[in-house]
Amino acid sequence: MVKGNLLVVTAPSGAGKTTLVAALLAADSQVQLSISFTTRPPREGEINGKDYHFVDRAEFERMIAAGELLEFAEVYGNYYGTSQLWINEVMANGRDILLEIDCQGAEQVRRLFPEAIGIFILPPCLETLESRLRGRGKDSDEVIARRLAVAKEEVNHVDEFDFVIVNEHIDDAVRDMIAVVRAQRLTLARQSERHTALISSLKG
Amino acid sequence: MVKGNLLVVTAPSGAGKTTLVAALLAADSQVQLSISFTTRPPREGEINGKDYHFVDRAEFERMIAAGELLEFAEVYGNYYGTSQLWINEVMANGRDILLEIDCQGAEQVRRLFPEAIGIFILPPCLETLESRLRGRGKDSDEVIARRLAVAKEEVNHVDEFDFVIVNEHIDDAVRDMIAVVRAQRLTLARQSERHTALISSLKG
């Protein structure tokens, strides 16, 4: 079984990342969204192993102590985190894992998985970004200015990624995502692993 | 205008390269097949600048002397060659150039264009390769054995390429080609060039 790829997808909020990722997942069944572990109790309708991996506090703290987590945070008394162990297992089964994280998280991931493929998504222009961040017009100018500052700080890190997709026309951007993910399975390294026997049978 | 990519496509004969390249060209109008220069007179129906660039001997020899050719050969008294100058012009206009060459040619191209993207196409198994090389069964075993030896010698160089496509199901292989070519336009380097103004307007 050839190892899957680790895909790290980052974008300033307002770039349309969620829609793009959903379209990729619908189009390519080899890609699996990373599922976080949490100590928060499941809500109505949430499925263990699909929405989250629900674990108790003792188990989560064991995972922290064992160094199994790629990153974690405590929010309102509940832990949330990504299991490095789980990611490695899924990838070992030949699936690609997609992690939706901010550029700080992306940097942590690159340190542990240097072969991770970074994809950065940009909005088509500043005006689009601003209007998306403005949302329904219910927030104060101060709140919006803060959101814009955070978004811009994300874009400062674009140079740390391998691929850049500009989400101007959603259909084109989806095709871009699909192409990047497909092409990364066709690199010499991946194909040499996948087709070792074929290649050696064809060599002179 | 952002520079196009130089795509070098190589395969042992019998891998189905010609069909794949034709499908890519039909699907992606940004890709332009490299057109050779020749001193051979045009045949009925051949169009200058489409089938070949037809030039006279004096002009071809001027191109050789000026170092404008990436590679050239003389076959039955006629010159054939690829103009480096022409390739640079087409790429400068933002189009991708596709060169169909053998691994020796690919090596020469990499020396002059280190950023060229190498794509190697493999047949799905040795039996398919052998039966395709056998063709219509009119050739002697010796001729077929020689063809197979040449094909295997090509495969020896697979490790010099960036991407490997196994042509088992033609539809999948065509999608692979299209994905690789599309993804290569989305690398950080290309997108930073293409969207310089956008990126600087979005930075904090």
Side-chain angles (χ1 to χ4, degrees):
Chain A
M1 181 64 75
V2 175
K3 244 186 100 179
N5 287 315
L6 182 58
L7 311 162
V8 173
V9 179
T10 302
S13 72
K17 180 178 65 168
T18 310
T19 313
L20 265 179
V21 166
L24 172 68
L25 294 171
D28 188 334
S29 60
Q30 269 182 266
V31 182
Q32 155 85 58
L33 194 63
S34 173
I35 300 165
S36 298
F37 283 71
T38 186
T39 57
R40 161 168 88 56
R43 292 186 190 133
E44 185 75 33
E46 282 185 340
I47 297 165
N48 187 27
K50 184 166 179 280
D51 299 293
Y52 284 96
H53 299 288
F54 296 102
V55 294
D56 61 22
R57 245 186 129 72
E59 169 61 7
F60 203 100
E61 282 165 356
R62 187 201 59 74
M63 291 168 76
I64 298 173
E68 290 178 13
L69 297 174
L70 195 54
E71 49 84 31
F72 73 96
E74 196 170 356
V75 182
Y76 299 122
N78 294 309
Y79 283 124
Y80 295 84
T82 307
S83 164
Q84 201 174 328
L85 209 70
W86 179 78
I87 285 180
N88 274 324
E89 270 174 31
V90 176
M91 290 203 300
N93 285 320
R95 307 201 72 198
D96 291 343
I97 287 267
L98 191 148
L99 266 171
E100 273 189 83
I101 42 179
D102 66 9
C103 59
Q104 237 182 326
E107 203 187 321
Q108 286 177 33
V109 171
R110 261 192 303 275
R111 227 174 292 140
L112 287 160
F113 292 96
E115 74 284 14
I117 296 143
I119 304 172
F120 199 90
I121 297 161
L122 289 174
C125 61
L126 184 59
E127 292 67 33
T128 304
L129 185 71
E130 281 175 341
S131 88
R132 285 184 192 161
L133 292 177
R134 203 167 289 278
R136 298 179 201 152
K138 285 187 179 165
D139 301 302
S140 70
D141 284 355
E142 200 197 322
V143 167
I144 292 159
R146 199 162 52 230
R147 273 188 208 146
L148 190 60
V150 171
K152 287 184 156 199
E153 170 52 24
E154 287 286 298
V155 180
N156 286 345
H157 294 267
V158 63
D159 291 351
E160 298 159 17
F161 289 74
D162 303 297
F163 295 94
V164 177
I165 293 174
V166 177
N167 186 11
E168 180 160 13
H169 304 293
I170 180 75
D171 290 353
D172 287 335
V174 169
R175 273 192 281 268
D176 286 346
M177 282 285 274
I178 293 171
V180 167
V181 170
R182 185 173 185 121
Q184 290 307 302
R185 295 182 191 134
L186 303 169
T187 57
L188 175 67
R190 283 289 181 251
Q191 292 284 67
S192 299
E193 259 186 280
R194 189 174 289 118
H195 298 289
T196 315
L198 172 66
I199 291 170
S200 77
S201 79
L202 291 172
K203 281 188 173 175
Chain B
M1 181 62 76
V2 175
K3 243 185 99 179
N5 287 315
L6 182 58
L7 310 162
V8 172
V9 179
T10 302
S13 73
K17 180 178 64 168
T18 310
T19 313
L20 265 179
V21 166
L24 172 68
L25 294 171
D28 188 334
S29 60
Q30 267 182 266
V31 182
Q32 154 86 59
L33 195 64
S34 172
I35 301 165
S36 298
F37 283 71
T38 185
T39 57
R40 160 167 89 57
R43 292 186 190 133
E44 185 76 33
E46 283 184 338
I47 297 164
N48 187 27
K50 183 165 180 281
D51 298 294
Y52 284 95
H53 298 288
F54 296 102
V55 293
D56 62 22
R57 242 185 133 74
E59 170 61 6
F60 203 100
E61 282 166 356
R62 186 202 61 74
M63 292 168 74
I64 298 173
E68 291 178 13
L69 297 173
L70 193 54
E71 50 83 30
F72 72 96
E74 196 171 356
V75 183
Y76 299 122
N78 294 309
Y79 282 124
Y80 295 85
T82 307
S83 165
Q84 201 174 329
L85 209 69
W86 179 79
I87 285 180
N88 274 325
E89 270 174 30
V90 176
M91 289 204 299
N93 286 319
R95 307 201 71 198
D96 292 343
I97 288 265
L98 190 150
L99 267 171
E100 274 191 82
I101 42 180
D102 66 10
C103 59
Q104 237 181 327
E107 204 186 321
Q108 285 176 33
V109 171
R110 260 192 303 274
R111 229 174 289 141
L112 288 159
F113 292 95
E115 74 285 14
I117 296 144
I119 304 172
F120 200 90
I121 297 161
L122 289 173
C125 62
L126 184 60
E127 292 67 35
T128 304
L129 185 72
E130 281 175 340
S131 87
R132 287 185 191 160
L133 292 177
R134 204 167 288 280
R136 297 182 199 150
K138 285 187 178 167
D139 302 301
S140 70
D141 285 355
E142 200 196 323
V143 167
I144 292 159
R146 199 162 51 230
R147 273 188 208 146
L148 190 61
V150 171
K152 288 185 156 199
E153 170 53 23
E154 286 287 298
V155 180
N156 287 344
H157 293 267
V158 64
D159 291 351
E160 298 159 16
F161 290 74
D162 302 298
F163 294 94
V164 177
I165 293 174
V166 177
N167 186 12
E168 180 160 13
H169 304 293
I170 180 76
D171 290 352
D172 288 334
V174 169
R175 272 193 281 270
D176 286 346
M177 282 285 275
I178 292 171
V180 167
V181 171
R182 185 171 186 122
Q184 290 307 301
R185 296 182 191 133
L186 302 169
T187 58
L188 175 67
R190 282 291 180 253
Q191 292 284 68
S192 300
E193 258 187 281
R194 189 174 289 118
H195 298 290
T196 316
L198 172 66
I199 291 170
S200 74
S201 79
L202 291 172
K203 281 188 173 175

